Amino acid sequence: MVSRLKNVVSLLHEGGESGDEVDWAAAAADLDVPSFPVDYKSFVETFGAGSFENSLFVSIPRPGENAADLTVTRLPADALLSDALEEWQKKTDSDLYRLEDMLVWGETNGSDALCWVTSNPDPNRWPVAVWARQGGGWAVYDCGMTEFIVRLLGEDFSECPLSVATLWRRGEARFLNFREEERFLDEGVDP
């Protein structure tokens, strides 16, 4: 699936920074998960933390640095106490999934949260859950992170799963690693 994603994603700066190294064992221990999905590990090694068209932001695990930007994390404790986050687009999903099992791997510029539901012991079987701020609550998609992005860029969703439709059915998108974005900004260029 990562190779299919590479086909629809163009890098903003071919010779620039891309990919991130992660101590996956330390990250798994830090976040109390058995491991991470293979497609996600490949994505991080290829692209790293950054954004698609400054619209969808992908985070990476940073063991011991949970407060850093673009860091994979659990839903915050105050969010778990919020009645607003108890809304589900399919009412039956509220019996199947728990907010405590959500692991946030991304967000949008529309304040949506993109998560995995980590209740399955096999990370490659974790579905993607999206809290669409303007979409009526949580929705769960039976696919991995890279398949979700490919489907978002393609025509596989009958309606946009996010509050912002910037990437929906776009066909392809530019991905910019956060280090490259910082480099551009330091050079006075708005990426």
Side-chain angles (χ1 to χ4, degrees):
M1 188 53 64
V2 172
S3 62
R4 185 170 169 211
L5 182 63
K6 286 181 189 178
N7 291 336
V8 295
V9 174
S10 60
L11 295 176
L12 182 62
H13 182 65
E14 288 280 329
E17 296 279 340
S18 62
D20 284 304
E21 289 185 22
V22 172
D23 180 340
W24 294 108
D30 192 46
L31 292 164
D32 194 28
V33 294
S35 187
F36 289 86
V38 171
D39 70 319
Y40 174 71
K41 288 179 178 181
S42 295
F43 180 92
V44 169
E45 291 167 4
T46 304
F47 298 104
S51 73
F52 288 93
E53 301 291 347
N54 204 33
S55 177
L56 188 155
F57 300 86
V58 177
S59 300
I60 62 170
R62 301 173 198 272
E65 299 180 45
N66 293 338
D69 288 340
L70 296 177
T71 300
V72 172
T73 187
R74 295 281 180 187
L75 288 174
D78 58 337
L80 295 175
L81 299 173
S82 172
D83 290 339
L85 283 185
E86 290 293 334
E87 294 180 37
W88 294 83
Q89 292 183 22
K90 288 184 184 176
K91 300 303 177 200
T92 56
D93 283 350
S94 65
D95 296 330
L96 300 174
Y97 306 109
R98 299 175 338 133
L99 296 181
E100 293 84 359
D101 293 329
M102 301 293 182
L103 189 60
V104 183
W105 58 263
E107 59 190 80
T108 69
N109 61 357
S111 299
D112 300 332
L114 293 94
C115 308
W116 291 292
V117 181
T118 62
S119 53
N120 191 311
D122 180 357
N124 295 312
R125 297 181 55 93
W126 291 347
V128 170
V130 175
W131 171 257
R133 185 177 54 85
Q134 297 174 1
W138 290 99
V140 178
Y141 301 90
D142 190 22
C143 62
M145 174 262 198
T146 57
E147 182 179 346
F148 178 85
I149 294 170
V150 168
R151 291 177 66 190
L152 175 68
L153 292 169
E155 297 190 15
D156 291 349
F157 291 122
S158 59
E159 58 186 50
C160 185
L162 305 174
S163 295
V164 291
T166 307
L167 299 175
W168 185 47
R169 295 185 174 174
R170 186 179 175 123
E172 62 182 36
R174 295 177 303 163
F175 184 84
L176 183 60
N177 182 283
F178 78 99
R179 289 186 310 280
E180 272 297 273
E181 181 176 5
E182 289 173 357
R183 185 181 68 78
F184 279 123
L185 292 172
D186 287 346
E187 293 175 2
V189 176
D190 184 353

